[in-house]
Amino acid sequence: MPLLKVTGLSKVFQLGRNKTVTALNNVNFEVEDGEIFGILGPNGSGKTTCLKLLLGILFPTEGSISIMGKNQFDVEAKSRIGFLPENPYYYEYLCGTEVLNFYGRLFGMPKGLIKERTEYLLKLVNLQDAGKLALRHYSKGMLERIGLASSLINDPKILILDEPTTGLDPIGCKETRDLLVRLKEMGKTILLSSHFLSEVERVCSRIAIFHRGNLLTTGSLSSLLNQYGADNLEDLFVKSIEKYDVELESGKPVAATD
Amino acid sequence: MGKMWVIATNTFREALRKKTLYILLVVALVAIGTSRFFSFLAAQDELKMIKDVSFATIEFFGAILAIFTAMGGVSGEIEKKTIYTLLAKPITRKNFIIGKFLGQSMVILLNAILISLFFIGLLISKKAVPDMEIYKSLLLIYIELLMIGAISLAVATFATDAFNIILSFFLFITGNLSVYFKQVIERTENIIFKGLGYMLYNIIPNYENFNIRDQVVVGVNVSWQYVGQTILYGVMYIVIAVLVGIYFFQKREV
Amino acid sequence: MKNKNWVNLFIAVLLYIPVGFLQVHIDYRRKLEDLEARLMLMPGQVAGSLVLSGFRGVAADLLWLNIEELWHQGHTYKLLPMFESVAWLQPRYITVWAVGGWHMAYNIYASTQDQKEKKYWYEQGAAFLKKGIAYNPEQYDLYFELGWTYYNKGEDFANAVKYLEKAVKFPCPDYVKSLLAHAYENNDQVDKAVEQWTRVLNTGFESVAKRALKVIREEGAFTPTRRRRLGMGMED
């Protein structure tokens, strides 16, 4: 049974009296246990909307979501998820340790365990010397790293990361990628949203390509490259979008391919 | 309950670390302190002035703090985008709102009690030990402030900050003038307007209920029955506001 | 989650019913305990009340400071609307009624030589005190002030008795009881005077009461007739 299953997911935003925007249209995909699943797409393709729907921050217009057999609002399901939003903002008056402590308590973790995890995670993200520093003094890179540490405080089964390397320098990006691979080796399932193709190419076992709210295709990189006759991910990305645009113009139903 | 408390203590801690609370506190203490300088008045008049100014200060500055703390609690989290990480955690939206209310209540009460202690200290320094009526009046002000905060929190779950400020202050003023509104309704002859008027009178938060200051400052006793009824009114109104807040927040997409 | 959410709103709306009933009870108690601020439709003051609301006390105090200032500067007539304003803001503040009434019946009275004007200000002072009594009917203070004004200023002993009798119904200092006895004498109610002086024997004015009773026994009460015979009048 897949760890995460999305069926017929659609989201329509009401902008005015007669104006709507379809942010997601009939999206279907599954994420298996232990894989790193990449969600690719240009800005405005619906990636973040999809993640917010998975986390219960937004409500679907249609469709369903199953996380470890439960719906996305289930408190037990949420207790097994770790989330890193794009450009994370934190309580600037808290220090690193306090932030981790706060989130740990929200997970209902015992004090001793929170302390243990805090020390471990601060070391993992290389912030062990900045634990007592208020977040308003953190650099952007430090904020991303404390965000990552926060997303891991509960030792989640599923990690959902929205653009985790945005704003990071090349070293920061590499460190994040290495960390993701380590997490995968630890048995974590990771759902990663990004518009950095190279990053996705290096770490993801399977990918999904979004465009204008539609899921164009999902599958392993190798199978998709074969299917589209693409040389690399960038080529695949461009070809899948072109195919969508052509089919849309010709009036053919646009369906996601697996 | 535990998770509500986590939200509450975090809200409290955040408020303590912000400057707003301290600025308001200092201004309030200065305002009360100035009433000390009217020693050229007859002793009785000076005491009355200290009491009048102190009660008005605790209520007014308390209301400002209540409204801004409540606004920061919800819209602040949305603006800062900390709401995303929060809602992704295993905490229900209901518990989030209740936790926010508890946290802001702690902030409001701390502020009010600190100013009250200064006020009581000032009275004692003038050899006028506060009687029970003073404490009754303070207690009612505290409940009133919690009510103002709860209403502001409820509005914050569905409205913008600008609308919240305007509505909260509008309700503060109309809530204090509601008795005049009622007296006008009583003199109205048109039955339909009378009925609508009474309905409106009962819906809007009636802050004037909590005002026994004009009597307390001149030493008139107020019954515990009245105080108890008014506290119950405040508590029920707070519950209404929190429920409304929960309702709108559970529908809100951020 | 959405399906059960309406219950929150439903309960909130339902709770307005007991809140409404509670408000009725609170309104009743506010009237009973005289906690209710009064709507006084005086031109020009309604707008002021709309702004002041919870700051009535502070506004009253600031006006009182103004009164103090104007008094020390000798602006006798400018004080009058200020007394009215403070009394309107805090009608339970007895001092403003007492001082206002005294100011009219004594200070302004003394400042004019015209007899008609003197009479006018004496009556204004009494009227102001009567208004104060309407707002503070359960305390002795203003009954005493009015009784004293009638007794001392107007030599209107009938009215003095009327109001002093009301004053002694409430907890009051001994001098009030003593003054009532004097008023009875001056009003030709000798029997009542004796009764009242007898009551005063148990107070701090015991010596005064003993002397008064002795004088009544030996020489007669201080009735108007006797006073005229002795060539006595009331002091201005």
Side-chain angles (χ1 to χ4, degrees), chain C residues 16-17 20 30 124 130 164 170 197 200:
Chain C
Y16 262 113
I17 300 172
R30 276 188 88 81
Q124 284 298 301
K130 281 182 189 169
L164 289 168
F170 304 101
W197 280 125
V200 176

Side-chain angles (χ1 to χ4, degrees), chain B residues 38 45 48-49 52 179-180 183 201 203 206 208-209 211 214 223 225-226 233 236-237 247 250, chain C residues 5 16 18 22-23 27 29-31 33-34 36-37 39 50 54 56-57 61 64-65 90 92-93:
Chain B
F38 295 105
D45 294 339
K48 182 184 170 296
M49 178 153 242
D52 280 327
V179 63
Y180 299 121
Q183 289 170 15
Y201 172 71
I203 289 173
N206 200 337
E208 182 66 11
N209 288 346
N211 185 2
D214 292 333
S223 70
Q225 186 177 351
Y226 177 80
Y233 172 89
M236 286 172 80
Y237 216 105
Y247 172 76
Q250 289 200 145
Chain C
N5 193 25
Y16 262 113
L22 200 51
Q23 185 61 57
D27 286 343
R29 280 229 77 90
R30 276 188 88 81
K31 277 211 163 81
E33 298 186 36
D34 202 21
E36 197 166 275
L39 180 67
L50 288 173
R56 287 191 293 268
D61 292 333
W64 194 252
L65 286 176
Q90 290 195 304
R92 301 300 300 270
Y93 185 30

Side-chain angles (χ1 to χ4, degrees), chain A residues 7-63:
Chain A
T7 314
L9 191 65
S10 294
K11 177 65 185 171
V12 178
F13 287 106
Q14 198 82 28
L15 292 182
R17 202 175 286 178
N18 294 318
K19 203 173 172 199
T20 59
V21 161
T22 303
L24 272 187
N25 179 30
N26 193 25
V27 168
N28 296 274
F29 68 88
E30 291 172 2
V31 179
E32 300 294 337
D33 190 0
E35 70 173 340
I36 301 183
F37 189 88
I39 297 180
L40 269 181
N43 292 329
S45 56
K47 306 190 301 294
T48 302
T49 304
C50 181
L51 296 186
K52 284 185 178 178
L53 285 163
L54 292 177
L55 292 158
I57 296 169
L58 293 176
F59 309 118
T61 311
E62 268 174 43

Side-chain angles (χ1 to χ4, degrees), chain B residues 173-220:
Chain B
I173 292 170
T174 50
N176 274 302
L177 296 176
S178 55
V179 63
Y180 299 121
F181 178 58
K182 183 175 78 96
Q183 289 170 15
V184 166
I185 299 166
E186 279 168 356
R187 290 170 207 209
T188 307
E189 286 174 6
N190 186 311
I191 292 179
I192 295 171
F193 281 130
K194 212 176 181 112
L196 283 171
Y198 274 121
M199 209 162 73
L200 196 63
Y201 172 71
N202 281 314
I203 289 173
I204 58 170
N206 200 337
Y207 297 127
E208 182 66 11
N209 288 346
F210 301 91
N211 185 2
I212 56 171
R213 301 191 280 280
D214 292 333
Q215 289 70 28
V216 160
V217 296
V218 291
V220 173

Side-chain angles (χ1 to χ4, degrees), chain A residues 11 13 52 55-59 75 78-79 81 83 85 89-91 93-95 98 102-103 105-108 150, chain B residues 3 6-7 9-10 13-14 17-18 77 80-82 84-93 250-254:
Chain A
K11 177 65 185 171
F13 287 106
K52 284 185 178 178
L55 292 158
I57 296 169
L58 293 176
F59 309 118
V75 164
K78 283 192 177 183
S79 68
I81 297 175
F83 174 55
Y89 288 85
Y90 292 98
Y91 303 100
Y93 292 94
L94 297 182
C95 66
E98 285 172 334
F102 171 56
Y103 288 131
R105 286 167 70 207
L106 280 180
F107 279 108
S150 301
Chain B
K3 290 180 188 176
V6 174
I7 298 285
T9 50
N10 193 56
R13 183 169 35 193
E14 198 187 355
R17 293 183 185 182
K18 279 191 184 161
E77 297 260 11
K80 284 185 299 188
K81 301 188 185 178
T82 46
Y84 298 140
T85 35
L86 265 184
L87 291 181
K89 299 290 176 285
I91 174 165
T92 60
R93 290 182 180 222
Q250 289 200 145
K251 286 156 65 77
R252 184 156 182 179
E253 295 191 315
V254 291

Side-chain angles (χ1 to χ4, degrees), chain C residues 101-102 105-106 122 125-126 129 144-156 160 179:
Chain C
W102 165 77
Y106 283 78
Y122 160 72
L129 285 167
F144 167 74
E145 292 291 333
L146 186 54
W148 171 249
T149 303
Y150 279 128
Y151 181 94
N152 181 256
K153 210 71 197 161
E155 296 190 23
D156 181 351
L179 184 64

Side-chain angles (χ1 to χ4, degrees), chain B residues 94 98 235-248 250, chain C residues 3-20:
Chain B
K94 181 176 91 174
I98 297 173
V235 167
M236 286 172 80
Y237 216 105
I238 286 168
V239 171
I240 290 173
V242 172
L243 284 172
V244 168
I246 290 170
Y247 172 76
F248 281 107
Q250 289 200 145
Chain C
N3 290 337
K4 288 188 189 159
N5 193 25
W6 65 269
V7 174
N8 294 311
L9 198 62
F10 182 67
I11 295 173
V13 171
L14 271 185
L15 277 175
Y16 262 113
I17 300 172
V19 161

